[in-house]
Amino acid sequence: MSKSTPLNADGVAMCSHPSSGERSKGTLAKAAIALVLAGLSFESVAQDSGSGMEVFETFTAVGQGESRANNSLDLEALEIAMPGALPEKMVDKIPGVNVVTRDPFGFYEFGNDIRVRAFNISNLGVTLDGVPVGTSDPRYGSPIGRLVDSQNLTTIKVSQGAGDVTTPAYQALGGSLQYFTKDPSKEQGAMFSATYGSFDHISLFGKYEMGEIAPGFTGYVSGSHFEFTPRGLDGLGKGMARRYEAKFKYELPSDKLDITYAVTYNDRDDFDTAGLTWQEWRDAEAGNYNGTGFGYIEYTPWDFPELSDNPYNYGDLSDQGRNLGPVAYIDSSVGAGEGTNAIYYDKWKNGRMDTLQRFKFDFDFEPGKSMEVVTYYQDKNNYGLWGRDQAYAQTQVRAAYMNDPSRTDIWGQMWYNAAGQPVSETGAVVEEYGADHAIVAPGTPAYATGVAFVPGVPGRTARDENFGGHRYGLTASYTWETENNKLIVGGWYEFDHHGTERPNFNLDGGSILGAYRYDQFNFTNYTRYIDQDVMQFWVQDTWTTMDGDLEVIAGVKAITLDRDANGFLSIGEWLKNEETFRSTKYEDMFLPQFGLLYTVNDNTEAFFNYSENMATPNSGTITTAGDTFDPDILKPEYSENFDIGIRGNIGSSSYTLQAYSVSYTDRILSVPVPIDSPNAGAAGNTRYQNVGGVDSWGIEASGDIATGIEGLSFSGSIALQETTFQEDLLDSIVRIEAGDDIPTAGEGYRVAATSDPLAYEIYQDISGNDLGNTPFLTANFDAIYTKGNWKFNFGGKYYDEVYVNTLNTQPVDSYTIFDGGIAYTGASDTPLEGWKASLSISNLFDQYIWYARSYTSTSGQVLADRGRNVALTLSTKF
């Protein structure tokens, strides 16, 4: 086997690009400069903290009183966030957190890459007011942006290294993100805001505070509408979201119990967004996209017919790729349904409808003894559309009949002549169930000369996937606190049912522009139903000694998860018309955490934390195709996290400096199965496997500085991170005939013999390579200047070079991007009292930036930044 080495735009072999180690050394100079600039933030008001240090009300507050690296985002102080931005977008300001989104708002969930140190969002514990989201996967889970309006949040708390053992999560290997909503006000009132901006962006938000409805009883209701035009869809379609929330709180007169009820309804629709392969991007920059002799141009398929073998990247590449979006072109030179595009923008669409209800009970039994109980229920209804070409549908329909000629669930039928022989579209006798065997509509008369052919699969088809389900659960945590000790004992239970059905239908007229013909079912990719029961238990004890200067925190958690799957788990099972049932269980009854928090003096504290974490394989692993697949062979993923650092106050400023090390083992990927694996089946099958580990280390710093200039304050953070693969990755399995030469591998690969003398495994030599889309250096800074009723802000972020493939041969350039804004608040006792106007600008200088869209083993994808984004907001309170 041989593989070509990717070339850059100048035709130079990319293997000459510096290795990850060389890149790190070359970046140290930048790191040194950035470290000098780090540690800038806001002047602020002091408040109490559990450690005795002062905690300042800042934009990004360091986490005093915690034995782990910890920062909080004060959203009420954060007036520089882009209106319409989802909560996932906001955490980018925190050191060690990197967020890349495909649109300026983070709206398209499948395009968001949210990473905290070595892990992405799927490996983090995420909660809303103590309610676990379960998983942030946009297909099977609930990204936080569906469950809460950013304007109803008060704080986001991020633990970069590890959430404590009381965080309910079954896929958390790294830290946690905890989102908290505002409590209802005792003062009656209302507020309304309206935003209009770039890309046809409209955001509307209204909220009514009911005040104290009855003694101790308060509540609010809110509603919002958001819309914008995704790239490539001008005049065609808009991404939209509507969200309605309510929250009520009752404080009993005895002060022994508080009861809170909250509900969120979310309804959103978005369009998939296309990207370019790394090589296509390099070709476009070189002015020769796909051999057309043009680079960043506006083009359609019929301009360059020779590109018809690649139907997925057609679109508007003008303005350096900023307008490339969902495919919206049809080849007008041929008949409907026979064009080069299998996808049209309105068949490349997703929708999510969620309802989350939750109760929270806060018991205060007596001094030092309290309990928190949270119950919740979530209902999920989702859809996903996608276009299919005629050939694919016909292949599946023929294969289904081949396995079971008597089946009646398919709309199309095979066509036979009067003698019962299979015939083609022209009436010629063909091989039974062959590729040229005609498929016809039900009720079509038997073939005879002159009878018009009526196709059962007339042209383009499309899927309308329906998925969702419900989940419910309860968390309870009891706290017993004495003078020198704090004990927390608790647990979590959740049941989650998820169903996924992916049927494919004809489209009216056989055209990709046609409406779905739901009466004309062709085939299904799968019909999966997954149930899982999760239980987690924890105990944590904090012992205070050395006159209160030292806290020793020790805890342990236990997790168990039972998962069942049934239905047509793959298209192969549907073709055979045979359903499958699978069941598996994952558990670890001892996952420890140990921490130290030492108060050096009134202004400084040092911390250390060690934790072991387990993530159960995601629900997709149990549906892997193949009769021989055994999900029990998959091991859970594990991580060991070390945190050490110091933080404190200097005058009216604060800082934190922390270092960490993460060891991530038994990583799960969908890769070819080694021949000697119990799950191998036929050699070369691609299934989920444990493939090795990733190690990461880093240094982070952040802080606040109050300047000597009245009204001027700064904030900033910096993070250095090196994350590398520890094992090579199986790429493929090659079989040879007896007497053939041993296969060869291209640069970056190696050949390994197996127990089968005629089979060889090809490995990528990636041990020591950098993890994709993981920058070595990132740095943030923000400045705010307040003068009377005016507020001005300016900030920026540096994001280091990253790779989009595991071979580390496809780099994406570093960039620095700037934001700014201005706001005016109406003065008291004037007609403008209660009004506020603000102008926010992201990518202030309209820089051309390319992001890593995804990374793969050999070739990743990239996406252009959308460009300058301006938003004007008017708001009022009354």
Side-chain angles (χ1 to χ4, degrees), residues 188-217:
Q188 188 177 22
M191 67 88 61
F192 177 78
S193 68
T195 299
Y196 179 76
S198 305
F199 319 119
D200 304 313
H201 167 209
I202 296 175
S203 289
L204 304 174
F205 178 82
K207 183 175 183 179
Y208 173 58
E209 292 278 6
M210 300 178 184
E212 195 161 18
I213 306 168
F217 184 48

Side-chain angles (χ1 to χ4, degrees), residues 99 101 103 784:
V99 180
T101 61
D103 60 67
I784 286 186

Side-chain angles (χ1 to χ4, degrees), residues 390 393-394 397 410-415 425 438-442 444 453-461 505-507 520-522:
Q390 181 185 39
Q394 289 195 354
V397 170
I410 306 170
W411 181 81
Q413 301 292 320
M414 292 299 190
W415 201 356
E425 298 176 12
I439 302 174
V440 299
T444 300
F453 172 69
V454 182
V457 187
R460 296 298 180 190
T461 66
F505 303 94
N506 285 334
L507 295 177
Q520 298 183 10
F521 167 78
N522 285 317

